[in-house]
Amino acid sequence: MRTFSKVFILSFICFLMAISIGSYSYVKEKDIKLETNIDNSMKEQLDISKKIMEKLETEPKEPEVYSTLKEAVEKSNRINFLVMGLEDVRTDTIIFASFCPDTKKMNLMNIPRDTYIHRKGYNTAEQRKINSIYEKHGVTGVKKTVSYILDNVPIHHYVMLDYEGVEKIVDSLGGVEVNVPIHMKYKDPTGKPPLQIDIQPGNQILDGKKSLEFLRYRKGNNNKGGYRDGDLGRIKAQQEFMSSFISKASDNMLTVITKGFKHVKTDISLVDSLSWGRKAIGMTKEDFEMITLPGKPEFRRINKKVLSYFIYDKKEARKLLEEIYNVDYNR
């Protein structure tokens, strides 16, 4: 198993917190170095920025209702993001994140890495998984594919955070409390970095290193152990981790920014980040909905090779999108 998730959904949450006080993009553009020992003057600047933004906080509005998904996509001011985690040249984690600035609601939809997708000219069994697209087509290709799966709903931006950032942020928060569902045991000395996972089941606080191992774990050596429902079980565990992380990080935004900002990669501009940041102030974990692309696992034989795929349900996916965009055909 080389499930090295260099980027995870933590990236978007960290970035959202950062832009909520208008500091991330400023620091990026000015190339200011925020290391572990951030100086007092910068802390004061961030505190002042936070106070100013809090005074500008807006109240959430009632969601607009639309007659069709097409109308909703055209008229809604929702911003959709792609959050990716990389395993070398493959995407280990893919999440469609949709933020509504008016209602202050965030919908996070996990796209399983084994999702079946057949591209013209890419006919091997391995090439028919969504996690193979990044190698040849990069972020743009993955964005287009996810948009295709989700009824051509636009994806405006991407956000990424490397694994070192995950470790540092979690450690700076004093760890994250999770209920480990199974004994996670796996060893891979060839991994980058090498893996030696051994986490006992039960409720516990994981430090940065253990948190990353928890997020990377899929199954044991020789396909023994692991989640009963495979990658879907892993997604559920990641979602529970995120819920706990959001609760703790929301009260420690300055810490998150100073520890994580240099590990973030995104194409979001300064102007947009400041605009959305104002709308994001006041969000709590109750404003985040975590769901998974509808579908089911299935074994398929491709060119004499049998692999496990996730076959997505396009109709059910559309229903979820209609809920996210608040579509009411009986309006």
Side-chain angles (χ1 to χ4, degrees):
M1 177 187 71
R2 297 190 183 210
T3 55
F4 177 37
S5 184
K6 287 187 177 180
V7 187
F8 182 60
I9 182 55
L10 293 179
S11 60
F12 186 74
I13 305 304
C14 293
F15 183 74
L16 186 62
M17 292 175 186
I19 64 175
S20 72
I21 65 171
S23 60
Y24 172 83
S25 294
Y26 175 80
V27 172
K28 275 289 188 182
E29 288 209 345
K30 300 301 182 183
D31 194 30
I32 297 173
K33 304 295 183 182
L34 284 182
E35 302 298 342
T36 303
N37 297 318
I38 182 173
D39 61 52
N40 290 330
S41 63
M42 180 57 70
K43 284 183 180 180
E44 290 174 1
Q45 290 180 44
L46 291 176
D47 286 340
I48 292 171
S49 178
K50 181 179 178 181
K51 291 177 181 178
I52 293 173
M53 292 302 288
E54 285 177 346
K55 289 182 179 180
L56 296 175
E57 180 178 353
T58 60
E59 291 295 323
K61 302 177 183 178
E62 288 297 317
E64 293 286 340
V65 181
Y66 303 98
S67 299
T68 66
L69 182 59
K70 181 180 179 181
E71 179 194 15
V73 169
E74 290 176 351
K75 296 181 179 180
S76 172
N77 61 353
R78 273 188 170 273
I79 308 105
N80 299 327
F81 304 82
L82 179 73
V83 183
M84 293 196 319
L86 298 184
E87 176 195 354
D88 195 11
V89 295
R90 294 179 179 270
T91 44
D92 187 45
T93 299
I94 303 174
I95 295 173
F96 169 78
S98 184
F99 174 54
C100 180
D102 291 337
T103 63
K104 297 191 177 185
K105 299 294 182 183
M106 174 75 72
N107 303 93
L108 304 169
M109 183 187 296
N110 287 81
I111 311 295
R113 53 177 274 157
D114 294 336
T115 299
Y116 183 88
I117 192 81
H118 186 196
R119 296 167 288 156
K120 184 178 180 180
Y122 296 86
N123 300 318
T124 68
E126 292 84 359
Q127 289 173 336
R128 300 193 188 201
K129 292 188 175 186
I130 196 171
N131 70 344
S132 69
I133 292 175
Y134 181 82
E135 180 178 11
K136 293 293 184 181
H137 305 291
V139 173
T140 300
V142 183
K143 285 172 65 177
K144 288 182 178 179
T145 303
V146 173
S147 179
Y148 169 79
I149 290 172
L150 299 179
D151 242 328
N152 296 315
V153 166
I155 299 176
H156 307 101
H157 299 286
Y158 75 89
V159 184
M160 292 193 274
L161 176 78
D162 64 37
Y163 80 96
E164 185 181 355
V166 174
E167 287 194 41
K168 287 187 175 181
I169 291 169
V170 172
D171 280 336
S172 70
L173 295 175
V176 173
E177 185 174 2
V178 296
N179 185 20
V180 182
I182 56 176
H183 183 191
M184 298 179 170
K185 190 172 180 64
Y186 181 79
K187 185 177 181 180
D188 181 8
T190 66
K192 297 180 181 180
L195 270 177
Q196 188 156 355
I197 300 173
D198 190 356
I199 308 175
Q200 294 294 329
N203 197 67
Q204 56 196 287
I205 295 176
L206 301 181
D207 62 14
K209 182 175 180 295
K210 288 293 184 182
S211 292
L212 190 62
E213 292 173 354
F214 175 85
L215 298 172
R216 293 172 63 185
Y217 180 80
R218 295 184 72 203
K219 54 189 175 183
N221 293 94
N222 301 316
N223 291 323
K224 294 181 179 179
Y227 299 106
R228 286 187 177 182
D229 45 357
D231 202 42
L232 294 180
R234 179 172 176 247
I235 287 174
K236 291 176 184 175
Q238 290 177 343
Q239 290 174 340
E240 291 178 9
F241 179 93
M242 277 309 307
S243 180
S244 179
F245 173 84
I246 293 169
S247 294
K248 197 161 188 179
S250 60
D251 294 326
N252 297 274
M253 288 194 293
L254 178 59
T255 298
V256 170
I257 294 166
T258 57
K259 297 294 182 179
F261 93 101
K262 70 178 181 179
H263 300 280
V264 174
K265 293 181 180 179
T266 181
D267 61 350
I268 301 173
S269 71
L270 170 63
V271 173
D272 286 339
S273 69
L274 292 173
S275 174
W276 300 335
R278 180 183 176 187
K279 300 288 187 179
I281 295 173
M283 291 178 67
T284 66
K285 76 171 186 176
E286 283 71 30
D287 295 311
F288 291 81
E289 180 189 27
M290 301 182 193
I291 53 181
T292 304
L293 177 69
K296 61 180 181 180
E298 181 181 301
F299 285 98
R300 288 192 178 184
R301 181 183 295 274
I302 308 292
N303 298 327
K304 298 182 179 181
K305 191 168 187 177
V306 178
L307 290 182
S308 174
Y309 297 93
F310 180 81
I311 311 302
Y312 69 93
D313 188 324
K314 201 166 185 69
K315 289 184 178 179
E316 290 301 314
R318 183 183 177 88
K319 289 181 181 178
L320 274 182
L321 290 168
E322 289 170 346
E323 291 177 11
I324 290 173
Y325 273 88
N326 206 31
V327 175
D328 183 0
Y329 288 104
N330 299 316
R331 187 176 69 152

